[in-house]
Amino acid sequence: KYLEGGKAAGGQLVDQRLCPRISEGEVRMLMVGDVLQMMIHKKPEGGGLSAVGGNSAYTYYKPGSPEYAKLEDDFVNRDIPQLMKALEIENDPLPILWTGDFIPVDGKEPGSTDYVVGEFNCSCVGISKFQAVCGGDKTLADVPDEDYYDASELTDLMGKTAIKFIEAKKAA
């Protein structure tokens, strides 16, 4: 159905190359508006190629972590402004909660790593530190204290960002 009626009818197909190093995991940039809140390395478990659906081990990094310093700098300071300009949304706010997911690929220099975008997501973004209590009989009271604190930092930032967006809209 995606191709039905061809391009004139809105048919589309995205051809994305296979990135075999996805087995090493992907790096998620968790954003609140234009602020990087954390980076999450999601490595598929069991030798798989997909880090979705909770089938992965998560390692969390704060902004400025040396493991992903170049990726962070490129994404936040170069790529986002370029993308916003290309999409003609440079004067619009970014979503309150969204992600950019990056897959490692071999770099130009032997032994180096570059990253390509796997996806941008703003329609279904979870709060990873609360993930263990999604569904079932568990509640936020079952979240370990450290995870609760980290997740609360994120949700507090989301609330402050939402207030800024509302105030900017009222002032316009």
Side-chain angles (χ1 to χ4, degrees):
K1 290 223 173 240
Y2 291 110
L3 302 176
E4 196 171 286
K7 185 177 180 180
Q12 57 185 327
L13 177 68
V14 175
D15 183 15
Q16 184 174 1
R17 70 178 174 169
L18 173 65
C19 298
R21 288 185 58 191
I22 187 66
S23 63
E24 298 170 28
E26 62 184 32
V27 179
R28 168 165 285 178
M29 298 287 182
L30 183 62
M31 304 291 296
V32 177
D34 61 357
V35 175
L36 175 64
Q37 203 272 337
M38 77 169 59
M39 295 169 284
I40 307 165
H41 180 244
K42 300 175 8 174
K43 182 173 177 155
E45 292 183 325
L49 293 177
S50 177
V52 298
N55 300 323
S56 52
Y58 288 55
T59 305
Y60 300 92
Y61 298 88
K62 298 227 178 261
S65 294
E67 294 86 347
Y68 300 109
K70 182 176 180 338
L71 177 61
E72 174 186 343
D73 183 59
D74 288 348
F75 182 56
V76 173
N77 298 313
R78 185 194 68 201
D79 299 341
I80 292 173
Q82 285 181 357
L83 284 167
M84 291 183 74
K85 185 173 182 181
L87 295 170
E88 299 179 357
I89 60 169
E90 62 265 39
N91 297 316
D92 295 329
L94 289 162
I96 289 176
L97 183 63
W98 65 283
T99 66
D101 294 348
F102 294 85
I103 301 169
V105 295
D106 292 338
K108 293 176 184 162
E109 301 296 321
S112 68
T113 297
D114 288 330
Y115 291 88
V116 297
V117 172
E119 73 171 315
F120 294 111
N121 189 348
C122 63
S123 63
C124 184
V125 178
I127 299 174
S128 298
K129 297 283 185 136
F130 287 158
Q131 182 175 344
V133 297
C134 291
D137 296 329
K138 293 187 177 184
T139 69
L140 289 178
D142 297 306
V143 175
D145 289 345
E146 183 179 345
D147 288 351
Y148 190 90
Y149 175 81
D150 289 344
S152 293
E153 279 188 331
L154 170 61
T155 56
D156 289 351
L157 180 59
M158 290 168 60
K160 290 174 185 172
T161 301
I163 290 168
K164 281 196 320 192
F165 286 177
I166 291 167
E167 288 171 349
K169 185 72 171 172
K170 284 181 180 178

